[in-house]
Amino acid sequence: MSLEVSQKITIQKVKNSKINQVDFNNLPFGQVYTDHMLVCDFENGKWSSPKIVPYGAISLDPSAKIFHYGQSVFEGMKAYKDAQDDIWLFRPFDNQKRLNISSKRLAMPELPEAYFMEGLEALLLLEKDWIPTTKDSSLYIRPFIFASGNGFHASPSDKYKFIIACSPSGPYFGGKLKVLIEQHYSRSANGGVGFAKAGGNYAGQFYPTNLAIQKGYQQVIWTDDTTHEYIEEAGAMNIFIRINDTLITAPTSDRILDGITRKSIIEIAKDQGIAVEVRNISVHEIIEASDNGSLKEMFGAGTAAVISPISGFGYQEKDYVLPELDNTFAATLKKQITDIQYNRSADKFGWRYSVK
């Protein structure tokens, strides 16, 4: 990696670390924050040099455009520590590229790769002791960009702020999920921003998800915006369906996020000889498979949870239960991904990235 940017990164360290106040054996997800964060500002048509400062509050004018027009994109990543105390990332360049794809769609400036990668590495080396080593734990990393310029006029901002904040975290989900197939609300639409990691995408999910929770479900399975006949995503995750011994997932589109975990599952499954189909799959096909016994598994896939098995789903006031299997694709694929992430196995795909 070139030192072009890292030589310019300034670091302001905290006087007193709060790490000794953290119970690393009992970490909630995303609620504890490290001592420092990386900050970089866009102004006058260019990004300033990144700097690392103590984690803390941000001061913004009430007219800041993030509050009024929602220009905000983010990524979700993790850093892992292996048995030798080395730090690893998983496909970080994919996160960097997707952040810029999201930024472009929201008329925001793209961030140079070096600013992202070298800023991230510098931050992780500084916060190395914050990376937990308890089972299934990791350092969750949240890079994000938002409009910081002022003005009530409905137009793109002239100023933006890029921040990377980190949170030592335990597992995102515990156990299996019971989900509701959504028949009215839509997560995204053709020509929209569903493929981008825009904050507004997630805000729009909360209300339908709350309605599902009131009915006894934990998450929503999103369907297409036009007919509500085709399965698209599960909550904030991509979704996989196993019918007999074939793994099926929807193709990416304007409406569906190009998930990094999703892509990894597809590659690993194919490498293991599992039949994979990337195609549209209808609710009717899933109901039929459940009725005839060929529906074996459903699971969500994303950075935070890696893989979340689904125990059953609701549709048109009826519940469907998935079978209990001894050897699931979900468990096998999750183990293979996490073994790569934590440097417990060989990485034939070249996904693991060493932070030094």
Side-chain angles (χ1 to χ4, degrees), residues 258-304:
D258 186 13
I260 294 167
T261 306
R262 172 189 175 276
K263 292 189 289 190
S264 304
I265 288 172
I266 291 171
E267 289 194 53
I268 291 174
K270 289 180 177 178
D271 182 70
Q272 294 296 311
I274 297 172
V276 178
E277 295 180 1
V278 180
R279 63 171 175 84
N280 293 325
I281 180 168
S282 68
V283 177
H284 174 75
E285 183 179 352
I286 294 173
I287 299 294
E288 185 177 41
S290 178
D291 289 340
N292 66 30
S294 61
L295 179 63
K296 304 300 183 183
E297 294 181 68
M298 296 171 64
F299 56 85
T303 297

